[in-house]
Amino acid sequence: MSASDELEIDDARRIVLKSVRPLDFVELSLDDALGRVLAGDVLADAPLPAFDSSAMDGWAVRAADVASASASEPVALRPIGESRAGHPASQALAEGETIAISTGAMIPAGADAVVRVERTRRHESGSVVEVLEAVPAANDIRRAGEDVAQGAVVLRAGATLGPAEIGMHASLGRARALCSRAPRVSVLATGDELVAPGETGRPGTVRDSNSHSIAALARRAGAHVVRRATLPDDAAVTMAAIAEGAADSDALLLCGGVSVGEHDHVRPSLQRLDASQRFWGLALKPGHPTWFGTLGDALVFGLPGNPVSAMVTFALLAAPALRAMQGARDPHLSLTAALDGGYRKRAGRAHAVRCTISARDDGWHARPTGPQGSHMLSSMLAADALAIVPGAVSELPDGARVRIEPLRALAGGRL
Ligand code: AMP
Ligand code: MG
């Protein structure tokens, strides 16, 4: 990989997204649908609300009957029944009559308005209700279809199902949501030095953080992690594990061993397996030794081993691919922010700077999380977003506008 072969991150992402093939669909119960991507448009078979109902506790009336009502000259009506939520009145309203009504209860036939209970007075006898104010027709009535008209397209394919989208399915009487199936992902970390978090280390060993952080990122992107393993720096083992991982995965995520060292077996293995390379080398720091291609039907990402590099390249390339596979309308998101404190670097590769993000009166502000070494996982802890400082730039002044790519929902997320 020479510097001139290195791809800009946006070009790399275009190549990745072009290689994505959509996954097939599954029907999920609403309890299982949170965060999944809708596979088809959702139409309203019936209006929402389904019937005219009261917005208040009060009395259903004919507006014409109470047109002259006031506190000093109330209009007396005769109560003939009750409409409660779930229990409509059996009678229809005639002139001079009223029906007690609860919030959400069906408007009785003959009524065209509701007077809220505070504007009425009921005689102790129960046989007279005095209305203390005139109300226009339709007063405090929720009309059938005023939320969603029958036949309306309520949700479009590609929408990510959050709590409101799940609630809308339920409101429309849909107990299941048609979603893309979860991408099957394998995560393979390479390195003789790696030990599992629960193992006691020997001198020179390193706890395997990548297979955990990358699996967590994959799950957050909607994937199902079917296999997670650490591999020694061994050519035969690496090749066998890659072949096996690619065979039963939509995406294979390899971490480490992808560089040009004598003990880096990922690329030679991919080559021997006849994987099709789409790119090798990004003009990005951290993350330049990144490989992408396909093996059979699987997308294969050779992510750098350094813990920050692995997470950054996953976030910028693999997460959008996993979301795109699921048919997500916006597989990735870019915003702009003011970069507080500015930034200095050598002109050359673009930098993906880990930043905290805060919302101020003048918009989003990004601030680097601290030392940015690609081995410094602590720099990811507070990182809300990556600020992309372009390659040609060597210095950004305080407050310069930069592109940011969120790593998590900003400002506490959305409902
Ligand atoms: P490599 O890309 O294999 O040359 O690894 C680059 C650096 O990342 C080395 O310092 C490795 O020890 C470290 N590293 C590789 N894989 C992991 C991992 N799974 N967890 C933590 N550190 C790793
Ligand atoms: Mg290694």
Side-chain angles (χ1 to χ4, degrees):
M1 165 182 54
S2 73
S4 59
D5 297 334
E6 293 178 2
L7 264 186
E8 297 299 332
I9 184 65
D10 288 345
D11 295 330
R13 184 152 55 195
R14 260 191 291 278
I15 292 171
V16 168
L17 290 177
K18 233 190 256 166
S19 311
V20 164
R21 279 187 298 187
L23 299 171
D24 43 6
F25 309 146
V26 285
E27 276 205 339
L28 297 175
S29 77
L30 298 187
D31 285 342
D32 292 331
L34 183 65
R36 304 297 293 272
V37 180
L38 201 58
D41 294 349
V42 171
L43 274 75
D45 302 335
L48 264 189
F51 51 86
D52 290 354
S53 65
S54 179
M56 290 289 162
D57 291 327
W59 292 90
V61 301
R62 293 156 33 112
D65 287 357
V66 299
S68 68
S70 67
S72 53
E73 287 188 47
V75 166
L77 298 175
R78 191 158 53 83
I80 60 162
E82 185 180 16
S83 178
R84 289 166 55 196
H87 304 279
S90 48
Q91 315 89 323
L93 206 70
E95 192 177 339
E97 294 177 340
T98 186
I99 286 178
I101 195 159
S102 324
T103 305
M106 206 166 184
I107 300 295
D112 64 0
V114 169
V115 182
R116 53 187 75 184
V117 73
E118 302 91 316
R119 312 279 157 73
T120 64
R121 198 158 48 211
R122 188 169 194 177
H123 284 202
E124 267 168 36
S125 68
S127 59
V128 173
V129 170
E130 286 184 338
V131 175
L132 306 175
E133 75 175 12
V135 292
N139 189 64
D140 282 333
I141 291 181
R142 299 170 181 161
R143 287 290 176 207
E146 73 178 16
D147 183 6
V148 177
Q150 182 163 12
V153 179
V154 189
L155 295 169
R156 295 266 181 209
T160 300
L161 297 178
E165 288 78 10
I166 288 172
M168 182 56 81
H169 271 76
S171 292
L172 293 172
R174 291 168 181 254
R176 304 180 76 75
L178 186 65
C179 298
S180 159
R181 76 170 166 81
R184 293 167 59 86
V185 159
S186 290
V187 182
L188 303 178
T190 73
D192 277 354
E193 73 278 31
L194 301 180
V195 292
E199 263 177 77
T200 313
R202 301 175 311 281
T205 58
V206 170
R207 294 257 156 59
D208 163 30
S209 64
N210 288 346
S211 72
H212 296 277
S213 58
I214 297 303
L217 283 169
R219 277 200 294 272
R220 192 185 263 175
H224 177 45
V225 178
V226 294
R227 166 195 309 264
R228 198 175 58 188
T230 57
L231 309 176
D233 290 320
D234 176 279
V237 174
T238 303
M239 196 165 124
I242 290 177
E244 232 178 82
D248 67 359
S249 307
D250 301 302
L252 174 60
L253 298 157
L254 297 150
C255 311
V258 74
S259 204
V260 292
E262 211 182 311
H263 305 290
D264 291 332
H265 297 289
V266 166
R267 286 185 314 122
S269 298
L270 286 163
Q271 214 162 16
R272 254 175 269 137
L273 289 164
D274 254 344
S276 154
Q277 175 180 315
R278 302 289 159 82
F279 64 78
W280 156 235
L282 292 179
L284 183 71
K285 189 179 168 174
H288 72 95
T290 297
W291 189 96
F292 172 72
T294 55
L295 179 54
D297 289 336
L299 301 186
V300 181
F301 295 85
L303 307 178
N306 271 308
V308 175
S309 316
M311 290 188 78
V312 164
T313 48
F314 181 97
L316 294 175
L317 299 172
L322 294 175
R323 306 247 318 126
M325 268 181 208
Q326 297 170 77
R329 200 180 302 141
D330 304 307
H332 64 94
L333 185 62
S334 292
L335 308 166
T336 60
L339 187 62
D340 289 345
Y343 193 77
R344 259 199 204 94
K345 70 173 184 60
R346 263 213 306 245
R349 292 179 180 136
H351 281 201
V353 185
R354 282 78 80 200
C355 289
T356 57
I357 302 292
S358 55
R360 306 247 196 89
D361 289 347
D362 62 347
W364 297 110
H365 282 246
R367 179 175 288 279
T369 52
Q372 296 281 311
S374 60
H375 59 299
M376 293 176 161
L377 196 49
S378 62
S379 69
M380 287 296 291
L381 289 179
D384 298 313
L386 300 171
I388 309 296
V389 180
V393 167
S394 58
E395 184 169 358
L396 287 176
D398 179 36
R401 304 296 302 172
V402 281
R403 175 153 70 99
I404 58 167
E405 305 241 344
L407 292 169
R408 50 176 151 235
L410 298 177
R414 64 180 281 273
L415 249 185

